[in-house]
Amino acid sequence: MADELTVTMLPAKEGDCIHVAWGAAPEQKHLLIDAGRQWTWKHALKPYLQEKGITRLELLVVSHVDRDHIDGVLALIRDPELDLEVKEIWFNTWDHLLGESVSSLEEDDAIEHFGAKMGEKLGPQILRRRWPWNRRFAGRAVELSDMLTDSRFVLDELCLTLLSPDRARLEALQPVWKKECRKAGLTPGAKLEDYVPEEDDGLESFGQPGVDELASEPFQEDGSAPNGTSIAFVLEYGDARVLLAADAHADLLVQGLKALGATPEQPLRLDAFKIPHHGSKYNVSKELLALTDCRHYLVSTNGNYFHHPDQVAIARLVKYGSEAAELDFNYRSDSNALWENRRWQHQYSYSIRYPGSGEDGWLSLSFRR
């Protein structure tokens, strides 16, 4: 079998669950980023791992503490039937926001929310599983270093270059974390009981103006502190290169791409770019797009809650993104149906890809090494 890098978006509803495999079968290595909702673990990820015979991850990344990224990881790690060796997990919890090491945590120390009701609940479970936690960062936060070379890591020939988060954004989450703990009647670091998460009720909606009108909307940066702590990185395997951006802030991604030498005149070549925050207009900027030369833009969401992807964000992609790029949606939804417009595809030189019939949520791309 070919030696290649494969990226698969699994059904995660409005969230992310991304499996990365590299190498040639049967010796492929595996990396998992987030696990969507609890539903994703039971109905998609668990059977997927079993079907493919995946019993070891070189790295499990929990990008940040929003429910649509972490909830399924909690279901995974609590599953008594779990048959999975995890060589290392990257996850930032309360102690990491303070600049401390997880080595100071006792096994019974639990914390939670999104955050108070979820994020920190994962900490004691990691300790009980004895999975190496942020090992490449000496147990401290997964965060950018002042030196680019210190933000690069190699996993069996797969190179990861960290682009997010930085120390400032980790510290910016502290007051939000505390506030959520207070709302739940909790103290950061206190032991908590299980709970049933409530549903979101926020929605965004859009009409159908033209591409130019949509793309011209002035960019406003995402103000979410949790999103700002997203672990985002570039993967390189031979000549294959993929940017997996979680829900990261656009300005920090821009800073990282520039550090890699990207300019509008010489953008960074990417085989694929999992665009940040499910295609939110607050995370996809013209400046960010100008620094990448991309073949595939990946969008992970079913459009539930907030109606992602934003029409403004996709308009920026098709107008300011790479020419002849493909928009790869892992769900067909009302929020992305607008971009099937044949005239627009011809005028702005882009194409669309959806999952096959009966395969909503599943979309996989492979790139030769």
Side-chain angles (χ1 to χ4, degrees), residues 59-63 88-93 95-97 99-100 102 132-145 150-151 153 160-167 169-170 228-233 252:
L59 179 62
L60 169 59
V61 178
V62 186
S63 67
E88 184 173 0
I89 183 168
W90 287 3
F91 168 61
N92 290 330
T93 190
D95 292 69
H96 297 112
L97 305 185
E100 297 177 3
V102 292
W133 190 355
N134 294 3
R135 181 177 60 190
R136 293 166 193 268
F137 299 84
R140 296 186 180 276
V142 178
E143 63 178 292
L144 292 169
S145 171
D150 293 332
S151 294
F153 308 92
L160 288 78
T161 303
L162 195 67
L163 300 185
S164 173
D166 60 5
R167 172 49 39 188
R169 282 165 175 79
L170 289 169
T229 65
S230 289
I231 298 172
F233 44 81
L252 196 55

Coordinates of all heavy atoms in Angstrom, one line a residue, residues 59-63 88-93 95-97 99-100 102 132-145 150-151 153 160-167 169-170 228-233 252:
L59 N -0.4 9.9 19.4 CA -0.8 11.2 20.1 C -2.3 11.4 20.0 O -2.9 11.2 19.0 CB -0.1 12.4 19.4 CG -0.4 13.8 19.9 CD1 0.1 13.9 21.4 CD2 0.3 14.9 19.1
L60 N -2.8 11.8 21.1 CA -4.2 12.2 21.2 C -4.2 13.7 21.6 O -3.6 14.0 22.7 CB -5.0 11.4 22.3 CG -6.4 11.9 22.7 CD1 -7.3 11.9 21.5 CD2 -7.0 11.0 23.8
V61 N -4.8 14.5 20.8 CA -4.9 16.0 21.1 C -6.3 16.4 21.4 O -7.2 16.1 20.6 CB -4.4 16.8 19.8 CG1 -4.5 18.3 20.1 CG2 -3.0 16.4 19.4
V62 N -6.4 17.0 22.6 CA -7.7 17.6 22.9 C -7.5 19.1 22.7 O -6.8 19.8 23.6 CB -8.1 17.3 24.4 CG1 -9.5 17.8 24.7 CG2 -8.0 15.8 24.7
S63 N -8.0 19.6 21.6 CA -7.5 21.0 21.2 C -7.9 22.1 22.2 O -7.1 23.0 22.5 CB -8.1 21.3 19.8 OG -9.5 21.5 19.9
E88 N 0.9 9.4 24.1 CA 0.9 10.8 24.7 C -0.4 11.5 24.4 O -1.0 11.3 23.4 CB 2.1 11.6 24.1 CG 2.3 13.0 24.8 CD 3.5 13.7 24.4 OE1 4.3 13.2 23.5 OE2 3.7 14.9 24.8
I89 N -0.8 12.3 25.4 CA -2.0 13.2 25.2 C -1.6 14.6 25.4 O -0.8 14.9 26.3 CB -3.1 12.8 26.2 CG1 -4.4 13.6 25.9 CG2 -2.7 12.8 27.6 CD1 -5.6 13.1 26.6
W90 N -2.1 15.5 24.5 CA -1.9 16.9 24.7 C -3.2 17.5 25.1 O -4.3 17.4 24.4 CB -1.5 17.6 23.4 CG 0.0 17.3 23.0 CD1 0.9 16.5 23.7 CD2 0.7 17.8 21.9 NE1 2.1 16.5 23.0 CE2 2.0 17.3 21.9 CE3 0.3 18.7 20.8 CZ2 2.9 17.6 20.9 CZ3 1.2 18.9 19.8 CH2 2.5 18.4 19.9
F91 N -3.2 18.2 26.2 CA -4.5 18.8 26.8 C -4.1 19.8 27.8 O -3.3 19.5 28.7 CB -5.4 17.7 27.4 CG -6.5 18.3 28.2 CD1 -7.5 19.1 27.6 CD2 -6.7 17.9 29.5 CE1 -8.6 19.6 28.3 CE2 -7.7 18.4 30.3 CZ -8.7 19.2 29.7
N92 N -4.6 21.0 27.7 CA -4.3 22.1 28.7 C -5.5 22.2 29.6 O -6.6 22.5 29.2 CB -4.1 23.4 28.0 CG -2.7 23.4 27.2 OD1 -1.8 22.7 27.6 ND2 -2.6 24.1 26.1
T93 N -5.2 22.1 30.9 CA -6.2 22.3 31.9 C -5.9 23.5 32.8 O -5.0 24.3 32.5 CB -6.4 21.0 32.8 OG1 -7.5 21.1 33.6 CG2 -5.2 20.7 33.6
D95 N -4.3 24.1 35.6 CA -3.0 24.3 36.1 C -2.1 24.8 34.9 O -1.2 25.6 35.2 CB -2.4 22.9 36.6 CG -3.1 22.5 37.9 OD1 -4.2 22.2 37.9 OD2 -2.4 22.6 39.0
H96 N -2.4 24.4 33.7 CA -1.6 24.9 32.6 C -1.8 26.4 32.3 O -0.9 27.1 31.9 CB -1.9 24.0 31.4 CG -1.5 22.6 31.5 ND1 -2.5 21.6 31.6 CD2 -0.3 22.0 31.7 CE1 -1.9 20.4 31.7 NE2 -0.6 20.6 31.8
L97 N -3.1 26.8 32.6 CA -3.3 28.2 32.4 C -2.5 29.1 33.4 O -2.1 30.2 33.1 CB -4.8 28.5 32.7 CG -5.9 27.8 31.9 CD1 -7.3 28.3 32.2 CD2 -5.6 27.8 30.4
G99 N 0.5 28.2 34.3 CA 1.9 28.0 34.0 C 2.5 26.9 34.8 O 3.7 26.7 34.9
E100 N 1.6 26.0 35.4 CA 2.1 25.0 36.3 C 2.2 23.6 35.5 O 1.7 23.5 34.4 CB 1.2 24.8 37.5 CG 1.2 26.0 38.4 CD 0.3 25.9 39.6 OE1 -0.3 24.8 39.7 OE2 0.2 26.9 40.3
V102 N 1.5 19.5 35.2 CA 0.5 18.5 35.7 C 1.1 17.5 36.7 O 0.4 16.8 37.3 CB -0.1 17.7 34.5 CG1 -1.0 18.6 33.7 CG2 0.9 17.0 33.7
P132 N 0.9 9.4 29.3 CA 1.8 10.5 29.4 C 1.2 11.8 28.9 O 0.7 11.9 27.8 CB 2.9 10.1 28.4 CG 2.9 8.6 28.4 CD 1.4 8.3 28.4
W133 N 1.2 12.9 29.8 CA 0.4 14.1 29.6 C 1.3 15.3 29.3 O 2.2 15.6 30.1 CB -0.4 14.3 30.9 CG -1.4 15.4 30.8 CD1 -1.7 16.2 29.8 CD2 -2.4 15.7 31.8 NE1 -2.7 17.1 30.1 CE2 -3.1 16.8 31.4 CE3 -2.6 15.2 33.1 CZ2 -4.1 17.4 32.1 CZ3 -3.6 15.8 33.9 CH2 -4.4 16.9 33.4
N134 N 1.2 15.8 28.1 CA 2.0 17.0 27.7 C 3.5 16.7 27.9 O 4.3 17.5 28.3 CB 1.6 18.2 28.4 CG 0.2 18.7 28.1 OD1 -0.5 18.1 27.3 ND2 -0.2 19.8 28.6
R135 N 3.9 15.4 27.6 CA 5.3 15.0 28.0 C 6.3 15.8 27.2 O 7.4 16.1 27.8 CB 5.4 13.5 27.6 CG 6.8 12.9 27.9 CD 6.8 11.4 27.5 NE 6.5 11.2 26.1 CZ 6.3 10.1 25.5 NH1 6.3 9.0 26.3 NH2 6.0 9.9 24.2
R136 N 6.1 16.2 26.0 CA 7.1 16.9 25.2 C 7.2 18.3 25.7 O 8.1 19.1 25.3 CB 6.7 16.9 23.7 CG 6.8 15.5 23.1 CD 6.2 15.4 21.8 NE 6.1 14.0 21.4 CZ 7.0 13.3 20.7 NH1 8.1 14.0 20.3 NH2 6.8 12.1 20.4
F137 N 6.3 18.7 26.6 CA 6.4 20.1 27.2 C 6.7 20.0 28.7 O 6.4 20.9 29.5 CB 5.1 20.8 27.0 CG 4.7 21.0 25.6 CD1 4.1 20.0 24.9 CD2 5.0 22.1 24.9 CE1 3.7 20.1 23.5 CE2 4.7 22.3 23.6 CZ 4.0 21.3 22.9
A138 N 7.3 18.8 29.1 CA 7.7 18.6 30.5 C 6.5 18.7 31.4 O 6.7 19.1 32.6 CB 8.9 19.5 30.9
G139 N 5.3 18.3 31.0 CA 4.2 18.3 31.8 C 3.5 19.7 31.9 O 2.4 19.8 32.4
R140 N 4.1 20.7 31.3 CA 3.6 22.0 31.3 C 2.6 22.2 30.1 O 2.4 21.3 29.4 CB 4.7 23.1 31.4 CG 5.5 23.0 32.7 CD 6.5 24.2 32.8 NE 7.2 24.0 34.0 CZ 6.8 24.5 35.2 NH1 5.6 25.1 35.3 NH2 7.5 24.4 36.3
A141 N 2.2 23.4 29.9 CA 1.2 23.7 28.9 C 1.7 23.4 27.5 O 2.9 23.7 27.2 CB 0.7 25.1 29.0
V142 N 0.9 22.9 26.6 CA 1.1 22.9 25.2 C 1.0 24.3 24.7 O -0.1 24.9 24.6 CB 0.2 22.0 24.5 CG1 0.5 22.0 23.0 CG2 0.3 20.6 25.0
E143 N 2.1 25.0 24.5 CA 2.1 26.4 24.0 C 3.3 26.7 23.2 O 4.3 26.0 23.2 CB 2.0 27.3 25.3 CG 3.2 27.3 26.2 CD 3.1 28.2 27.3 OE1 3.2 29.5 27.1 OE2 3.0 27.8 28.5
L144 N 3.2 27.8 22.5 CA 4.2 28.3 21.6 C 5.5 28.7 22.4 O 5.4 29.3 23.5 CB 3.8 29.5 20.8 CG 2.7 29.2 19.7 CD1 2.1 30.5 19.1 CD2 3.2 28.3 18.6
S145 N 6.6 28.3 21.8 CA 7.9 28.8 22.4 C 8.3 30.0 21.6 O 7.9 30.4 20.6 CB 8.9 27.7 22.2 OG 10.2 28.1 22.5
D150 N 11.7 25.2 18.7 CA 11.3 24.6 20.0 C 9.8 24.3 19.9 O 9.2 23.7 20.8 CB 11.6 25.5 21.2 CG 13.1 25.6 21.4 OD1 13.8 24.6 21.1 OD2 13.5 26.6 22.0
S151 N 9.1 24.7 18.8 CA 7.7 24.4 18.6 C 7.5 23.3 17.6 O 6.4 23.2 17.1 CB 6.9 25.7 18.3 OG 6.9 26.6 19.3
F153 N 8.0 19.2 16.6 CA 8.1 17.9 17.2 C 8.0 16.8 16.1 O 7.3 17.1 15.1 CB 7.0 17.7 18.2 CG 7.0 18.8 19.2 CD1 6.1 19.9 19.0 CD2 7.8 18.8 20.4 CE1 6.1 21.0 19.9 CE2 7.7 19.9 21.3 CZ 6.9 20.9 21.1
L160 N 5.3 17.9 13.4 CA 4.3 18.8 13.9 C 4.9 20.2 14.2 O 5.9 20.2 15.0 CB 3.5 18.3 15.1 CG 2.6 17.1 15.0 CD1 3.4 15.8 14.9 CD2 1.7 17.0 16.2
T161 N 4.4 21.2 13.7 CA 4.8 22.6 14.0 C 3.6 23.3 14.7 O 2.6 23.6 14.0 CB 5.3 23.4 12.8 OG1 6.3 22.7 12.1 CG2 5.8 24.8 13.2
L162 N 3.8 23.6 15.9 CA 2.7 24.2 16.7 C 2.5 25.7 16.3 O 3.4 26.5 16.1 CB 3.0 24.2 18.2 CG 1.9 24.4 19.2 CD1 0.9 23.3 19.2 CD2 2.5 24.5 20.6
L163 N 1.2 26.1 16.1 CA 0.9 27.5 15.7 C 0.1 28.2 16.8 O -0.1 29.4 16.8 CB 0.1 27.5 14.4 CG 0.8 27.0 13.2 CD1 -0.1 27.2 11.9 CD2 2.2 27.6 12.9
S164 N -0.5 27.4 17.7 CA -1.4 28.0 18.7 C -1.5 26.9 19.8 O -1.4 25.7 19.5 CB -2.8 28.3 18.2 OG -3.7 28.6 19.1
P165 N -1.7 27.3 21.1 CA -1.9 28.7 21.6 C -0.6 29.3 22.1 O 0.4 28.7 22.1 CB -2.8 28.4 22.8 CG -2.3 27.1 23.4 CD -1.9 26.3 22.2
D166 N -0.7 30.6 22.5 CA 0.5 31.2 23.2 C 0.1 31.5 24.6 O -1.0 31.3 25.1 CB 0.9 32.5 22.5 CG -0.2 33.6 22.4 OD1 -1.3 33.3 23.0 OD2 0.0 34.6 21.8
R167 N 1.1 31.9 25.4 CA 0.9 32.1 26.8 C -0.2 33.2 27.1 O -1.0 33.0 28.0 CB 2.3 32.6 27.5 CG 2.3 33.0 28.9 CD 1.6 32.2 29.9 NE 1.7 30.7 29.8 CZ 1.0 29.9 30.5 NH1 0.1 30.3 31.4 NH2 1.1 28.6 30.3
R169 N -2.9 33.9 25.5 CA -4.2 33.4 25.3 C -4.6 32.3 26.4 O -5.7 32.2 26.8 CB -4.4 32.8 23.9 CG -4.6 33.9 22.9 CD -4.4 33.4 21.5 NE -4.7 34.4 20.5 CZ -3.9 35.4 20.1 NH1 -2.7 35.5 20.8 NH2 -4.3 36.3 19.2
L170 N -3.6 31.6 26.9 CA -3.9 30.7 28.0 C -4.2 31.5 29.2 O -5.2 31.1 29.9 CB -2.6 29.8 28.2 CG -2.4 28.8 27.2 CD1 -1.0 28.1 27.4 CD2 -3.4 27.7 27.2
G228 N -9.3 30.7 21.8 CA -8.0 31.2 21.7 C -6.9 30.3 22.2 O -5.7 30.4 21.9
T229 N -7.3 29.3 23.1 CA -6.4 28.3 23.6 C -6.3 27.1 22.8 O -5.6 26.1 23.2 CB -6.8 27.9 25.1 OG1 -8.0 27.2 25.0 CG2 -6.9 29.1 26.0
S230 N -6.9 27.1 21.6 CA -6.9 25.9 20.8 C -5.5 25.5 20.4 O -4.6 26.3 20.0 CB -7.7 26.2 19.5 OG -9.1 26.3 19.7
I231 N -5.2 24.2 20.5 CA -4.0 23.6 20.0 C -4.1 23.4 18.5 O -4.9 22.6 18.0 CB -3.7 22.3 20.7 CG1 -3.5 22.5 22.2 CG2 -2.4 21.6 20.1 CD1 -3.4 21.2 23.0
A232 N -3.3 24.1 17.7 CA -3.4 24.1 16.3 C -1.9 23.9 15.8 O -1.0 24.4 16.3 CB -4.0 25.3 15.7
F233 N -1.8 23.1 14.6 CA -0.5 22.8 14.2 C -0.5 22.5 12.7 O -1.5 22.1 12.1 CB 0.2 21.7 15.0 CG -0.7 20.5 15.2 CD1 -0.9 19.6 14.3 CD2 -1.3 20.4 16.5 CE1 -1.7 18.5 14.6 CE2 -2.1 19.3 16.8 CZ -2.3 18.4 15.8
L252 N -3.3 34.7 15.5 CA -2.2 33.8 16.0 C -1.8 32.8 14.9 O -0.6 32.6 14.7 CB -2.6 33.0 17.2 CG -1.5 32.4 18.0 CD1 -0.5 33.4 18.5 CD2 -2.1 31.7 19.3

